[in-house]
Amino acid sequence: MKRASQVLLFLGALALLFVERPGFADITPMDYYASPSGGSAAPKSAHRTIRLDAQDVVIRLKPNSYDVDAVFHLFNTGELSKEWVGFPKGPAGRPPGPAGGILNFVRFEASVNERDVPFREERGLLQRARSILNVLRWPDGHNTDWLTARAPFPARAKTKIRVSYEAHYGNCGFLCSTAVYVYGTGRYWKDAIGKATFTIDCAETGGAERVRAGFFFPDTQSHLIRRRQVSENVLTFEVRNFEPDPRGRLDVTFSTGPR
């Protein structure tokens, strides 16, 4: 039975290369464009003054969905500013549904310096003029929808942004599920990301032995990724001082079949 489970996990990992996956990612600075028909948004090129010093991401695997609690510690090296920040809402490589809708979060909450901030949905910059094929392309950033908000960043001071959400798993093949977290959008802040810690809690899905987690775009820096099994139910990954590819992501795949 153990060998059968290993085979299923291998097939599931292989299937990840071909199937649709939700793309939920690091908070990122945004450019906002107003128009008579409504606003649109796209990731901003590297920010000049605000850097991402650290982030702590906790992914809790549940039987039918997964929770993410992400805390971002930023520092503004310049003057007081208000910035648009965004979180991708659209799924990767998946065309819209029959009514033109896109994959939704089950739940999404955010705060800035412990104060709740309402995020609103904005269309991607090119989403309003997408091709006749009606295909979303990720990680272009211009062809996905975003949840956006305007946040204050005090001069030469720290800002903490917290995002908490629940999402459905992607199907990675027979008897396996996958949760995806795109960390690459953190590249759009100033300089390198100081420290990123990803914690995976597998208590509700049979423990760490059933989980495979990997960085699909390690940006030639895979030797910098420190993996540690904290307990039979908890895994952690830590990366320091890195500039990820905007597509960089952590894929967490686990077997849903018998042991």
Side-chain angles (χ1 to χ4, degrees):
M1 186 64 71
K2 183 176 181 180
R3 177 147 183 100
S5 297
Q6 291 174 337
V7 172
L8 290 175
L9 284 170
F10 170 77
L11 293 175
L14 185 64
L16 280 172
L17 298 175
F18 306 104
V19 300
E20 303 164 351
R21 292 177 300 275
F24 305 124
D26 276 3
I27 202 85
T28 190
M30 303 291 295
D31 278 326
Y32 177 76
Y33 305 89
S35 70
S37 60
S40 58
K44 197 173 190 175
S45 45
H47 203 284
R48 293 185 177 182
T49 64
I50 302 173
R51 66 177 188 244
L52 177 54
D53 284 344
Q55 65 182 84
D56 296 295
V57 179
V58 179
I59 301 173
R60 295 181 179 87
L61 306 179
K62 303 192 296 184
N64 300 308
S65 62
Y66 62 100
D67 288 334
V68 174
D69 189 28
V71 179
F72 305 94
H73 301 273
L74 301 110
F75 187 86
N76 182 8
T77 63
E79 301 299 321
L80 167 68
S81 65
K82 283 192 173 183
E83 302 285 340
W84 287 98
V85 296
F87 208 80
K89 184 171 183 284
R94 176 187 176 127
I102 61 174
L103 191 68
N104 290 311
F105 292 96
V106 177
R107 170 184 59 81
F108 184 91
E109 301 162 344
S111 65
V112 177
N113 290 333
E114 308 298 342
R115 299 185 64 178
D116 291 344
V117 174
F119 275 62
R120 67 187 187 189
E121 183 177 338
E122 297 290 353
R123 306 298 281 171
L125 181 59
L126 301 183
Q127 183 71 340
R128 294 182 176 277
R130 57 182 180 259
S131 71
I132 193 170
L133 294 177
N134 219 25
V135 174
L136 296 172
R137 291 185 177 87
W138 175 268
D140 182 291
H142 297 81
N143 292 309
T144 191
D145 289 342
W146 296 83
L147 291 172
T148 65
R150 205 168 186 206
F153 290 86
R156 292 171 289 280
K158 298 178 181 179
T159 296
K160 182 172 78 172
I161 298 178
R162 182 170 188 166
V163 174
S164 178
Y165 65 84
E166 181 181 358
H168 291 298
Y169 291 111
N171 179 15
C172 62
F174 183 60
L175 294 181
C176 77
S177 293
T178 183
V180 178
Y181 186 88
V182 181
Y183 60 84
T185 47
R187 175 70 177 267
Y188 295 106
W189 297 104
K190 173 182 170 65
D191 300 332
I193 298 175
K195 177 184 175 183
T197 303
F198 304 91
T199 300
I200 304 168
D201 185 337
C202 324
E204 295 185 51
T205 53
E209 67 177 18
R210 299 173 71 94
V211 168
R212 297 293 181 270
F215 289 77
F216 261 43
F217 293 93
D219 315 312
T220 69
Q221 298 180 17
S222 58
H223 63 286
L224 300 179
I225 302 171
R226 181 184 176 190
R227 181 187 188 276
R228 187 164 65 98
Q229 184 162 338
V230 179
S231 70
E232 63 180 0
N233 294 320
V234 178
L235 297 169
T236 64
F237 294 83
E238 182 181 292
V239 196
R240 292 177 179 267
N241 299 317
F242 70 116
E243 297 185 23
D245 185 296
R247 298 167 297 172
R249 70 180 190 265
L250 171 66
D251 290 348
V252 182
T253 304
F254 67 95
S255 169
T256 57
R259 290 175 182 262

